[in-house]
């Protein structure tokens, strides 16, 4: 029986519609370097991957697995389409599927914990797959979002950018066990400088460039309080030396009711009104933030499916003419954007929540 707090961190994702789109399967890699907690490494490489590709490290939520995050998000499908990046899906060693984001070891550069195992995966990929060391990116949901924060703090030399979905600030769970109720409930508050110092403590003496960061959070998240969104804004604006007042605010971006606040070229925060802990990942938005596609904030994007029954994908053809661009979302329950795809693309229904121009 899983503890109730681990169950509450689980993020329901629908696998079937997305898994069937990926051309290849996950491949497990062993003996990839220092790995004190025995994190497992799974890779996804599209056929005809370009030389010197980018790398995305995509980390699952509590109770999740590498396979679940592979199947429940679009990164593998987009890798197949673009051929310009590969994906590593780490698998947490904890029996509940959560990441160690609390120990001194994992929060410190090369000191141990789950983060060192993931860092070893990145180093292995650079050496053995020819990954471009300047284009390594981290993303994840819930516990995976927490680990995204950890990697950006403890390994800024390896990560170029991060995108964290429904997480907490770096170090918010520090000193606790696998669960920190005060942090989860939004009761842990610090000054911007204190939060920034926490990030800087992850790699003492580091003076290089800091990876840019993007955070996403639902306003009615009852698992990891929305208060953590505000604390994370304080943290990362301090790290980059930005004001806590955004330089620009975009309403209904990238989805109706969501608000994107940009604080500088290296940090933006997106608030999802009325959304709970199961925030739907916008994979194309993440790629845009990483610089692998167009400009984040100006493209209409895709969504991984939300909770509900699976469905058999079908396709429909819309009229040609001005409309959504290639790979953009064109339909789905609750979607209010363009429903016509630009020629020659057609709107294909992947599940009740998401249709895409392909």
């Amino acid at each position: 029986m899983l503890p109730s707090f681990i169950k509450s961190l689980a993020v329901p994702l629908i696998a079937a519609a997305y898994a069937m789109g990926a051309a290849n399967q996950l491949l497990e890699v062993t003996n990839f370097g220092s790995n004190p907690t025995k994190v497992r490494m799974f890779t996804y490489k599209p056929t005809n991957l370009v030389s010197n590709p980018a790398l995305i490290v995509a980390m699952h939520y509590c109770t999740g697995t590498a396979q679940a995050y592979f199947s429940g998000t679009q990164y593998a499908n987009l890798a197949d389409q673009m051929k310009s990046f590969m994906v590593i899906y780490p698998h947490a060693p904890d029996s509940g599927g959560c990441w160690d984001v609390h120990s001194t070891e994992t929060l410190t550069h090369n000191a141990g914990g789950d983060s060192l195992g993931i860092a070893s995966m990145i180093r292995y990929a650079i050496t053995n797959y020819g990954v471009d060391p300047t284009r390594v990116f981290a993303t994840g949901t819930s516990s995976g979002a927490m680990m995204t924060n950890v990697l950006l703090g403890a390994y800024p030399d390896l990560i170029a950018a991060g995108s964290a979905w429904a997480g907490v600030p770096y170090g918010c769970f520090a000193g606790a066990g696998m669960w920190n109720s005060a942090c989860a409930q939004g009761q842990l508050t610090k000054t911007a400088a204190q939060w920034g110092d926490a990030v800087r403590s992850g790699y003492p003496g580091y003076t290089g460039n800091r990876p840019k960061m993007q955070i996403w959070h639902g306003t009615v998240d009852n698992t990891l309080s929305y208060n953590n969104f505000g604390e994370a804004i304080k943290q990362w604006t301090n790290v980059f030396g930005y004001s806590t007042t955004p330089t620009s605010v975009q309403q209904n971006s990238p989805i109706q009711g969501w608000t994107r606040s940009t604080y500088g070229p290296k940090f933006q925060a997106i608030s999802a009104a009325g959304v709970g802990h199961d925030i739907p990942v916008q994979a194309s938005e993440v790629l845009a933030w990483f610089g692998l596609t167009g400009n984040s904030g100006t493209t209409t994007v895709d969504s991984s499916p939300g909770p509900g029954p699976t469905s058999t994908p079908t396709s429909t053809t819309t009229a040609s003419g001005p409309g959504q661009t290639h790979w953009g979302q064109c339909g789905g329950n609750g979607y209010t954007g363009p429903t016509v795809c630009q020629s020659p693309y057609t709107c294909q229904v992947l599940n009740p929540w998401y249709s895409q121009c392909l």
Side-chain angles (χ1 to χ4, degrees):
M1 180 73 71
L2 290 172
S4 60
F5 75 81
I6 292 180
K7 290 181 179 179
S8 70
L9 277 173
V11 176
L13 294 170
I14 297 173
Y18 283 84
M20 68 186 304
N24 302 315
Q25 297 299 310
L26 290 183
L27 173 67
E28 182 166 13
V29 178
T30 58
N31 301 318
F32 49 82
S34 181
N35 185 24
T37 61
K38 297 181 173 56
V39 180
R40 295 171 69 185
M41 175 182 180
F42 292 86
T43 64
Y44 186 83
K45 295 174 65 179
T47 303
N48 298 321
L49 178 67
V50 300
S51 60
N52 205 219
L55 170 66
I56 294 177
V57 181
M59 293 163 286
H60 64 75
Y61 42 87
C62 275
T63 75
T65 63
Q67 178 68 43
Y69 212 56
F70 159 68
S71 300
T73 56
Q74 280 211 64
Y75 298 114
N77 292 337
L78 291 168
D80 282 336
Q81 294 168 11
M82 297 173 61
K83 313 292 186 185
S84 60
F85 67 92
M86 62 173 290
V87 190
I88 289 176
Y89 296 91
H91 182 95
D94 175 65
S95 61
C98 299
W99 294 103
D100 167 18
V101 294
H102 66 277
S103 72
T104 300
E105 291 79 13
T106 203
L107 291 167
T108 307
H109 184 79
N110 283 344
D114 291 353
S115 68
L116 178 56
I118 298 172
S120 294
M121 297 176 194
I122 294 169
R123 292 162 176 157
Y124 182 92
I126 291 170
T127 300
N128 293 276
Y129 303 139
V131 162
D132 182 348
T134 68
R135 295 190 299 144
V136 176
F137 309 103
T139 189
T141 300
S142 189
S143 186
M146 298 186 209
M147 180 55 76
T148 298
N149 278 268
V150 168
L151 290 177
L152 265 67
Y155 295 92
D157 56 325
L158 292 180
I159 308 296
S163 183
W165 293 76
V168 302
Y170 176 96
C172 197
F173 271 35
M178 293 298 287
W179 184 248
N180 185 322
S181 294
C183 175
Q185 295 170 11
Q187 298 169 354
L188 186 57
T189 60
K190 296 184 180 182
T191 66
Q194 288 172 329
W195 280 124
D197 286 345
V199 171
R200 289 182 283 270
S201 73
Y203 190 171
Y206 179 75
T207 58
N209 290 329
R210 291 283 173 182
K212 66 180 188 175
M213 182 57 147
Q214 178 188 66
I215 63 172
W216 306 71
H217 217 111
T219 61
V220 294
D221 190 331
N222 293 320
T223 300
L224 295 173
S225 170
Y226 183 68
N227 290 346
N228 284 303
F229 183 70
E231 296 300 302
I233 289 173
K234 291 194 295 186
Q235 180 170 71
W236 291 104
T237 52
N238 180 266
V239 167
F240 297 123
Y242 298 154
S243 168
T244 53
T245 300
T247 57
S248 70
V249 176
Q250 295 169 274
Q251 303 295 334
N252 302 318
S253 176
I255 291 175
Q256 185 75 24
W258 294 25
T259 302
R260 183 195 309 271
S261 298
T262 300
Y263 296 83
K266 286 193 168 186
F267 179 59
Q268 64 177 213
I270 299 89
S271 172
V275 176
H277 192 58
D278 56 345
I279 184 169
V281 173
Q282 310 296 304
S284 290
E285 266 289 321
V286 175
L287 265 58
W289 177 247
F290 292 163
L292 298 176
T293 59
N295 294 321
S296 181
T298 61
T299 55
T300 304
V301 298
D302 60 280
S303 171
S304 65
T310 57
S311 62
T312 302
T314 58
S315 33
T316 58
T317 302
T318 65
S320 60
Q324 183 57 277
T325 58
H326 191 200
W327 301 336
Q329 184 174 359
C330 54
N333 291 347
Y335 176 72
T336 59
T339 58
V340 175
C341 298
Q342 292 182 1
S343 180
Y345 307 111
T346 60
C347 188
Q348 299 188 24
V349 179
L350 301 184
N351 55 55
W353 299 270
Y354 179 72
S355 301
Q356 186 179 28
C357 289
L358 298 172

